[in-house]
Amino acid sequence: MTLSDGDDLSGRDRFAEPNTKLEHAVETYLPQPREKRSGVALCLSGGGFRAALFHLGALRRLNELGALSKVDTISAVSGGSIVAAHLAERIRVWPAAGDSVPDWDRDVAAPFRQFTSRNLRTAPLFKAFLPWNWFGGSVAAGELARRYQLALIGRRLPELPGRPRFVFCATDMAFGVNWVFERGRVGDYQAGYCSPAPDWPVAHAIAASSCFPPIFNPMPAGLGPDQLKDGASAGLANRNELITGLRLTDGGVYDNMGLEPVWKTHAVVLVSDGGGVFDFMPDRGLFARVMRYTAIQGRQATAIRKRWLISSFISGEISGTYWGIGSAIGSYGEPAAGYSRALVERVIAEVRTDLDAFSEAEAAVLENHGYLLADAAIRRHAPGLTRPGAPSSSAPHREWLDEEKVSRFLADSHRRTFFGRT
Protein backbone atom coordinates (compact mmCIF):
# COMPACT_ATOMS: atom_id res chain seq x y z
CA MET A 1 0.00 0.00 0.00
CA THR A 2 1.30 3.48 -0.94
CA LEU A 3 0.02 6.74 0.51
CA SER A 4 0.05 9.81 -1.70
CA ASP A 5 1.12 13.27 -0.58
CA GLY A 6 -2.52 14.20 -0.22
CA ASP A 7 -3.34 11.44 2.27
CA ASP A 8 -3.78 12.76 5.81
CA LEU A 9 -3.91 10.38 8.79
CA SER A 10 -3.97 13.07 11.46
CA GLY A 11 -7.66 12.85 12.32
CA ARG A 12 -10.21 10.05 12.39
CA ASP A 13 -13.07 12.38 11.50
CA ARG A 14 -11.61 12.64 7.99
CA PHE A 15 -12.97 9.19 7.19
CA ALA A 16 -16.66 10.09 7.05
CA GLU A 17 -16.73 8.94 3.43
CA PRO A 18 -15.54 5.43 2.52
CA ASN A 19 -11.87 5.27 1.63
CA THR A 20 -10.55 1.73 1.73
CA LYS A 21 -6.89 2.72 1.53
CA LEU A 22 -7.05 5.16 4.43
CA GLU A 23 -9.24 2.91 6.55
CA HIS A 24 -6.68 0.14 6.15
CA ALA A 25 -3.90 2.58 7.09
CA VAL A 26 -5.73 3.66 10.25
CA GLU A 27 -6.33 0.05 11.25
CA THR A 28 -2.70 -0.84 10.63
CA TYR A 29 -0.80 2.16 11.95
CA LEU A 30 -2.94 3.76 14.68
CA PRO A 31 -4.26 2.48 17.99
CA GLN A 32 -7.98 2.01 18.26
CA PRO A 33 -9.98 5.09 19.31
CA ARG A 34 -9.84 5.71 23.05
CA GLU A 35 -13.44 4.70 23.57
CA LYS A 36 -12.71 1.26 22.10
CA ARG A 37 -9.55 0.57 24.10
CA SER A 38 -9.77 -1.00 27.53
CA GLY A 39 -7.65 -2.64 30.19
CA VAL A 40 -4.10 -2.36 31.47
CA ALA A 41 -1.24 -4.09 29.66
CA LEU A 42 2.16 -4.81 31.17
CA CYS A 43 5.03 -5.47 28.75
CA LEU A 44 8.09 -7.33 30.03
CA SER A 45 11.08 -7.08 27.70
CA GLY A 46 13.74 -9.57 26.76
CA GLY A 47 17.26 -9.60 28.13
CA GLY A 48 17.91 -13.01 29.73
CA PHE A 49 18.14 -13.40 33.49
CA ARG A 50 19.22 -9.77 33.78
CA ALA A 51 15.89 -8.54 32.44
CA ALA A 52 13.95 -11.19 34.38
CA LEU A 53 15.46 -10.06 37.70
CA PHE A 54 14.96 -6.39 36.82
CA HIS A 55 11.30 -7.17 36.08
CA LEU A 56 11.03 -9.12 39.33
CA GLY A 57 11.81 -5.93 41.24
CA ALA A 58 9.32 -3.93 39.19
CA LEU A 59 6.63 -6.57 39.73
CA ARG A 60 7.24 -6.47 43.48
CA ARG A 61 6.58 -2.73 43.59
CA LEU A 62 3.58 -2.96 41.27
CA ASN A 63 2.18 -5.57 43.65
CA GLU A 64 2.72 -3.35 46.69
CA LEU A 65 1.03 -0.43 44.97
CA GLY A 66 -1.98 -2.55 44.00
CA ALA A 67 -1.23 -1.88 40.33
CA LEU A 68 -0.31 -5.46 39.43
CA SER A 69 -3.80 -6.67 40.34
CA LYS A 70 -5.24 -4.22 37.77
CA VAL A 71 -3.19 -5.66 34.90
CA ASP A 72 -5.38 -7.42 32.33
CA THR A 73 -2.67 -8.58 29.90
CA ILE A 74 1.00 -9.48 30.37
CA SER A 75 2.91 -9.47 27.08
CA ALA A 76 6.38 -10.94 27.52
CA VAL A 77 9.53 -11.60 25.52
CA SER A 78 12.48 -13.89 26.27
CA GLY A 79 13.70 -13.00 29.78
CA GLY A 80 10.35 -11.32 30.37
CA SER A 81 8.62 -14.56 29.37
CA ILE A 82 10.66 -16.45 31.97
CA VAL A 83 9.46 -14.29 34.86
CA ALA A 84 5.92 -14.09 33.43
CA ALA A 85 5.77 -17.91 33.37
CA HIS A 86 6.93 -17.92 36.98
CA LEU A 87 4.01 -15.63 37.87
CA ALA A 88 1.57 -17.90 36.04
CA GLU A 89 2.88 -20.87 38.03
CA ARG A 90 3.16 -19.26 41.46
CA ILE A 91 0.07 -17.01 41.55
CA ARG A 92 -2.83 -19.39 41.00
CA VAL A 93 -5.49 -16.90 42.17
CA TRP A 94 -4.97 -13.40 40.76
CA PRO A 95 -5.86 -10.73 43.36
CA ALA A 96 -8.95 -8.55 42.97
CA ALA A 97 -8.34 -5.06 41.55
CA GLY A 98 -6.53 -2.96 44.14
CA ASP A 99 -5.42 -5.91 46.27
CA SER A 100 -1.93 -7.40 46.51
CA VAL A 101 -0.45 -10.87 46.40
CA PRO A 102 0.46 -11.79 50.01
CA ASP A 103 3.81 -13.27 51.02
CA TRP A 104 5.44 -12.00 47.83
CA ASP A 105 9.02 -12.65 48.84
CA ARG A 106 8.36 -16.18 50.11
CA ASP A 107 6.12 -17.34 47.27
CA VAL A 108 7.37 -15.35 44.27
CA ALA A 109 10.67 -13.52 44.66
CA ALA A 110 12.81 -15.96 46.65
CA PRO A 111 12.00 -18.99 44.45
CA PHE A 112 12.77 -16.97 41.33
CA ARG A 113 16.10 -15.74 42.64
CA GLN A 114 16.93 -19.38 43.35
CA PHE A 115 15.97 -20.32 39.79
CA THR A 116 18.25 -17.67 38.27
CA SER A 117 21.16 -18.73 40.49
CA ARG A 118 21.68 -21.79 38.26
CA ASN A 119 23.33 -21.95 34.86
CA LEU A 120 20.53 -22.77 32.43
CA ARG A 121 22.23 -22.45 29.06
CA THR A 122 25.51 -24.42 29.11
CA ALA A 123 24.15 -27.98 29.51
CA PRO A 124 21.62 -27.63 26.64
CA LEU A 125 24.38 -26.31 24.39
CA PHE A 126 26.75 -29.15 25.27
CA LYS A 127 23.97 -31.63 24.56
CA ALA A 128 23.56 -30.13 21.09
CA PHE A 129 27.32 -30.54 20.49
CA LEU A 130 27.21 -34.33 21.00
CA PRO A 131 27.91 -36.05 17.64
CA TRP A 132 24.59 -37.92 17.56
CA ASN A 133 22.76 -34.58 17.95
CA TRP A 134 24.62 -32.65 15.26
CA PHE A 135 21.69 -32.90 12.88
CA GLY A 136 19.00 -32.52 15.52
CA GLY A 137 18.48 -28.84 14.67
CA SER A 138 16.75 -27.58 17.80
CA VAL A 139 18.17 -30.00 20.38
CA ALA A 140 19.44 -27.20 22.63
CA ALA A 141 16.12 -25.33 22.58
CA GLY A 142 14.28 -28.59 23.29
CA GLU A 143 16.52 -29.24 26.30
CA LEU A 144 15.92 -25.65 27.42
CA ALA A 145 12.17 -26.31 27.30
CA ARG A 146 12.60 -29.49 29.35
CA ARG A 147 14.49 -27.58 32.04
CA TYR A 148 11.86 -24.83 32.13
CA GLN A 149 9.18 -27.47 32.63
CA LEU A 150 11.07 -29.18 35.45
CA ALA A 151 12.14 -26.08 37.38
CA LEU A 152 9.92 -23.16 36.32
CA ILE A 153 6.40 -24.04 35.16
CA GLY A 154 4.50 -27.29 34.79
CA ARG A 155 1.28 -25.83 33.37
CA ARG A 156 0.11 -26.28 29.78
CA LEU A 157 -1.13 -23.52 27.48
CA PRO A 158 -4.87 -24.30 27.94
CA GLU A 159 -4.29 -24.21 31.72
CA LEU A 160 -3.14 -20.58 31.74
CA PRO A 161 -5.53 -18.27 33.61
CA GLY A 162 -8.20 -16.23 31.87
CA ARG A 163 -7.03 -13.14 33.74
CA PRO A 164 -4.52 -11.82 33.33
CA ARG A 165 -4.11 -12.89 29.73
CA PHE A 166 -0.54 -14.13 29.30
CA VAL A 167 1.02 -13.58 25.86
CA PHE A 168 4.43 -15.15 25.26
CA CYS A 169 6.12 -13.70 22.17
CA ALA A 170 8.55 -15.34 19.75
CA THR A 171 9.67 -14.36 16.24
CA ASP A 172 8.36 -16.10 13.13
CA MET A 173 11.42 -16.48 10.91
CA ALA A 174 9.45 -17.30 7.75
CA PHE A 175 7.27 -14.17 7.71
CA GLY A 176 9.39 -11.95 9.99
CA VAL A 177 6.59 -11.05 12.43
CA ASN A 178 5.61 -11.50 16.06
CA TRP A 179 4.36 -15.00 16.93
CA VAL A 180 2.25 -15.49 20.08
CA PHE A 181 1.56 -18.33 22.47
CA GLU A 182 -1.62 -17.78 24.50
CA ARG A 183 -4.20 -19.77 26.40
CA GLY A 184 -6.62 -19.65 23.49
CA ARG A 185 -4.43 -19.52 20.40
CA VAL A 186 -0.98 -19.90 18.87
CA GLY A 187 0.31 -18.20 15.72
CA ASP A 188 0.59 -14.83 14.01
CA TYR A 189 -1.36 -12.67 11.60
CA GLN A 190 0.63 -13.80 8.56
CA ALA A 191 0.80 -17.56 9.11
CA GLY A 192 -2.61 -17.67 10.79
CA TYR A 193 -3.72 -18.94 14.19
CA CYS A 194 -4.33 -22.36 15.68
CA SER A 195 -7.34 -21.93 17.95
CA PRO A 196 -7.94 -23.33 20.48
CA ALA A 197 -4.29 -23.55 21.45
CA PRO A 198 -2.67 -26.98 21.27
CA ASP A 199 -2.10 -28.84 24.53
CA TRP A 200 1.56 -27.87 24.71
CA PRO A 201 3.57 -27.18 27.87
CA VAL A 202 3.98 -23.48 28.61
CA ALA A 203 7.68 -24.34 28.88
CA HIS A 204 7.71 -24.95 25.11
CA ALA A 205 6.50 -21.37 24.56
CA ILE A 206 9.10 -19.96 26.96
CA ALA A 207 11.89 -21.84 25.19
CA ALA A 208 10.78 -20.52 21.80
CA SER A 209 10.56 -17.00 23.24
CA SER A 210 14.05 -17.15 24.78
CA CYS A 211 16.16 -19.23 22.34
CA PHE A 212 18.36 -16.28 21.51
CA PRO A 213 20.56 -16.49 18.39
CA PRO A 214 23.17 -17.57 17.58
CA ILE A 215 23.50 -19.53 20.82
CA PHE A 216 20.28 -21.50 20.32
CA ASN A 217 18.98 -22.71 16.99
CA PRO A 218 15.37 -21.72 16.24
CA MET A 219 12.56 -24.12 17.16
CA PRO A 220 10.19 -25.65 14.57
CA ALA A 221 6.72 -24.16 14.95
CA GLY A 222 5.28 -27.67 14.99
CA LEU A 223 2.03 -26.86 13.18
CA GLY A 224 0.93 -27.79 9.69
CA PRO A 225 -0.57 -25.45 7.06
CA ASP A 226 -4.06 -26.81 7.72
CA GLN A 227 -3.81 -26.04 11.45
CA LEU A 228 -3.17 -22.32 11.01
CA LYS A 229 -6.26 -20.42 9.84
CA ASP A 230 -7.14 -16.95 8.53
CA GLY A 231 -3.59 -15.66 8.00
CA ALA A 232 -2.72 -12.87 5.59
CA SER A 233 -0.54 -15.37 3.69
CA ALA A 234 -3.55 -17.47 2.67
CA GLY A 235 -3.28 -16.45 -0.98
CA LEU A 236 0.45 -17.14 -1.41
CA ALA A 237 1.33 -19.92 -3.80
CA ASN A 238 4.14 -21.17 -1.54
CA ARG A 239 2.25 -20.82 1.76
CA ASN A 240 2.40 -24.55 2.54
CA GLU A 241 6.15 -24.61 2.02
CA LEU A 242 6.64 -21.54 4.20
CA ILE A 243 4.59 -22.91 7.09
CA THR A 244 5.93 -26.45 6.89
CA GLY A 245 9.45 -25.10 7.43
CA LEU A 246 8.44 -22.30 9.81
CA ARG A 247 10.81 -21.86 12.75
CA LEU A 248 10.65 -19.64 15.81
CA THR A 249 13.43 -17.72 17.47
CA ASP A 250 13.78 -15.30 20.37
CA GLY A 251 10.93 -12.79 20.53
CA GLY A 252 13.40 -9.95 20.92
CA VAL A 253 14.55 -10.35 17.33
CA TYR A 254 11.28 -8.73 16.21
CA ASP A 255 9.99 -6.73 19.20
CA ASN A 256 12.07 -6.82 22.35
CA MET A 257 9.58 -4.77 24.37
CA GLY A 258 6.56 -6.98 23.69
CA LEU A 259 4.43 -4.05 22.49
CA GLU A 260 3.00 -5.66 19.38
CA PRO A 261 0.12 -7.61 21.00
CA VAL A 262 -1.19 -4.76 23.15
CA TRP A 263 -0.49 -1.22 21.94
CA LYS A 264 -3.55 -0.87 19.72
CA THR A 265 -6.15 -2.27 22.09
CA HIS A 266 -5.32 -1.35 25.69
CA ALA A 267 -6.19 1.86 27.51
CA VAL A 268 -2.99 1.83 29.58
CA VAL A 269 0.39 0.37 28.57
CA LEU A 270 3.20 -0.17 31.08
CA VAL A 271 6.63 -1.16 29.76
CA SER A 272 9.46 -2.61 31.84
CA ASP A 273 12.57 -2.72 29.65
CA GLY A 274 15.57 -4.72 30.81
CA GLY A 275 16.99 -5.14 27.31
CA GLY A 276 20.55 -4.51 26.27
CA VAL A 277 21.85 -0.99 25.93
CA PHE A 278 23.91 0.09 22.93
CA ASP A 279 27.62 0.47 23.69
CA PHE A 280 29.91 2.92 21.89
CA MET A 281 33.07 1.32 20.52
CA PRO A 282 35.96 2.17 18.18
CA ASP A 283 36.56 0.34 14.91
CA ARG A 284 38.05 -3.13 15.52
CA GLY A 285 38.49 -4.54 12.05
CA LEU A 286 36.49 -6.43 9.45
CA PHE A 287 34.91 -9.17 11.58
CA ALA A 288 33.90 -6.73 14.30
CA ARG A 289 32.36 -4.46 11.66
CA VAL A 290 30.12 -7.28 10.40
CA MET A 291 28.79 -7.81 13.93
CA ARG A 292 28.51 -4.06 14.40
CA TYR A 293 26.27 -3.67 11.34
CA THR A 294 23.77 -6.10 12.90
CA ALA A 295 23.98 -4.37 16.27
CA ILE A 296 23.28 -0.97 14.73
CA GLN A 297 20.28 -2.31 12.82
CA GLY A 298 18.92 -3.81 16.03
CA ARG A 299 19.49 -0.57 17.87
CA GLN A 300 17.61 1.36 15.19
CA ALA A 301 14.53 -0.87 15.47
CA THR A 302 14.48 -0.68 19.27
CA ALA A 303 15.11 3.07 19.30
CA ILE A 304 12.27 3.72 16.86
CA ARG A 305 9.82 1.70 18.97
CA LYS A 306 10.95 3.44 22.13
CA ARG A 307 10.76 6.94 20.60
CA TRP A 308 7.32 6.18 19.20
CA LEU A 309 6.12 4.89 22.58
CA ILE A 310 7.43 7.87 24.56
CA SER A 311 6.06 10.36 22.02
CA SER A 312 2.67 8.62 22.22
CA PHE A 313 2.71 9.03 25.99
CA ILE A 314 3.63 12.70 25.68
CA SER A 315 0.97 13.43 23.06
CA GLY A 316 -1.68 11.60 25.04
CA GLU A 317 -2.38 9.14 22.22
CA ILE A 318 -1.57 6.29 24.65
CA SER A 319 -1.64 6.34 28.45
CA GLY A 320 0.98 4.62 30.57
CA THR A 321 4.66 4.76 31.38
CA TYR A 322 8.06 3.25 30.58
CA TRP A 323 11.06 2.40 32.73
CA GLY A 324 14.31 0.97 31.40
CA ILE A 325 17.39 -0.58 32.94
CA GLY A 326 19.56 2.20 31.51
CA SER A 327 17.51 4.88 33.31
CA ALA A 328 18.27 6.53 36.64
CA ILE A 329 15.77 7.73 39.24
CA GLY A 330 16.75 11.32 38.47
CA SER A 331 14.89 10.97 35.15
CA TYR A 332 11.66 10.94 37.13
CA GLY A 333 12.53 13.87 39.38
CA GLU A 334 13.80 11.67 42.21
CA PRO A 335 17.45 12.74 42.61
CA ALA A 336 17.86 11.46 46.17
CA ALA A 337 16.57 7.90 45.67
CA GLY A 338 17.94 4.90 43.84
CA TYR A 339 21.24 4.33 42.08
CA SER A 340 23.14 7.21 40.50
CA ARG A 341 23.23 7.62 36.73
CA ALA A 342 26.98 7.04 36.78
CA LEU A 343 26.59 3.65 38.48
CA VAL A 344 23.69 2.68 36.24
CA GLU A 345 25.59 3.45 33.04
CA ARG A 346 28.93 2.03 34.19
CA VAL A 347 27.79 -1.11 36.03
CA ILE A 348 24.10 -2.03 36.17
CA ALA A 349 23.17 -1.49 32.52
CA GLU A 350 26.29 -3.41 31.52
CA VAL A 351 25.37 -6.61 33.38
CA ARG A 352 25.37 -9.47 30.87
CA THR A 353 22.15 -10.59 29.18
CA ASP A 354 22.51 -14.33 29.63
CA LEU A 355 20.90 -17.48 31.05
CA ASP A 356 24.02 -18.20 33.09
CA ALA A 357 23.94 -18.25 36.90
CA PHE A 358 23.44 -14.88 38.57
CA SER A 359 24.97 -14.22 41.98
CA GLU A 360 23.12 -13.07 45.07
CA ALA A 361 24.64 -9.60 44.63
CA GLU A 362 23.62 -9.36 40.96
CA ALA A 363 20.07 -10.51 41.68
CA ALA A 364 19.69 -8.09 44.59
CA VAL A 365 20.95 -5.05 42.68
CA LEU A 366 18.83 -5.77 39.61
CA GLU A 367 15.74 -6.33 41.75
CA ASN A 368 16.38 -3.09 43.63
CA HIS A 369 16.84 -1.16 40.40
CA GLY A 370 13.62 -2.47 38.82
CA TYR A 371 11.69 -1.84 42.04
CA LEU A 372 12.82 1.77 42.44
CA LEU A 373 12.36 2.70 38.78
CA ALA A 374 8.88 1.18 38.58
CA ASP A 375 7.88 3.04 41.74
CA ALA A 376 9.09 6.37 40.35
CA ALA A 377 7.54 5.80 36.90
CA ILE A 378 4.12 4.79 38.25
CA ARG A 379 3.91 7.59 40.80
CA ARG A 380 4.96 10.16 38.19
CA HIS A 381 3.01 9.01 35.13
CA ALA A 382 0.32 6.52 36.22
CA PRO A 383 -0.69 7.39 39.79
CA GLY A 384 -4.27 6.30 39.15
CA LEU A 385 -3.12 2.67 39.29
CA THR A 386 -2.01 2.88 42.92
CA ARG A 387 -4.33 1.95 45.78
CA PRO A 388 -4.94 4.22 48.78
CA GLY A 389 -2.71 3.38 51.70
CA ALA A 390 -0.07 1.57 49.62
CA PRO A 391 3.21 1.19 51.54
CA SER A 392 5.94 3.71 50.85
CA SER A 393 8.82 2.70 48.64
CA SER A 394 11.53 0.62 50.31
CA ALA A 395 14.12 -1.24 48.23
CA PRO A 396 13.89 -4.99 48.91
CA HIS A 397 17.66 -5.34 49.45
CA ARG A 398 18.75 -2.20 51.24
CA GLU A 399 22.14 -3.71 52.05
CA TRP A 400 22.87 -3.47 48.31
CA LEU A 401 22.19 0.25 47.94
CA ASP A 402 25.79 1.15 48.80
CA GLU A 403 27.31 2.11 45.45
CA GLU A 404 30.91 1.35 46.34
CA LYS A 405 29.86 -2.14 47.42
CA VAL A 406 27.84 -2.63 44.24
CA SER A 407 30.78 -1.52 42.09
CA ARG A 408 33.06 -3.98 43.83
CA PHE A 409 30.79 -7.03 43.71
CA LEU A 410 29.52 -6.41 40.15
CA ALA A 411 32.88 -5.46 38.66
CA ASP A 412 32.92 -8.53 36.38
CA SER A 413 29.19 -8.90 35.87
CA HIS A 414 29.41 -7.79 32.25
CA ARG A 415 31.63 -10.74 31.32
CA ARG A 416 30.24 -13.92 29.78
CA THR A 417 32.10 -17.19 30.29
CA PHE A 418 31.98 -20.11 27.86
CA PHE A 419 31.39 -22.82 30.47
CA GLY A 420 29.24 -20.67 32.73
CA ARG A 421 29.72 -19.46 36.27
CA THR A 422 28.54 -22.60 38.04
Side-chain angles (χ1 to χ4, degrees), residues 302-385:
T302 300
I304 289 172
R305 283 188 187 274
K306 182 178 174 181
R307 283 199 295 267
W308 166 84
L309 178 69
I310 300 300
S311 66
S312 296
F313 287 152
I314 293 172
S315 69
E317 183 70 20
I318 296 177
S319 297
T321 188
Y322 165 97
W323 57 90
I325 197 166
S327 303
I329 297 296
S331 303
Y332 301 92
E334 303 281 347
Y339 298 113
S340 68
R341 178 166 295 280
L343 184 76
V344 169
E345 293 179 350
R346 179 173 50 86
V347 177
I348 299 176
E350 295 298 317
V351 173
R352 66 200 178 282
T353 56
D354 201 353
L355 298 181
D356 193 3
F358 272 55
S359 69
E360 178 184 350
E362 291 167 338
V365 172
L366 289 166
E367 193 176 351
N368 277 350
H369 191 41
Y371 177 100
L372 294 167
L373 284 176
D375 174 71
I378 292 292
R379 288 192 294 105
R380 178 73 179 271
H381 298 295
L385 294 179

Side-chain angles (χ1 to χ4, degrees), residues 240-262:
N240 286 0
E241 178 186 4
L242 288 167
I243 291 179
T244 300
L246 196 156
R247 289 177 175 268
L248 306 173
T249 191
D250 190 296
V253 173
Y254 182 76
D255 172 15
N256 199 49
M257 289 192 288
L259 283 166
E260 196 70 14
V262 300

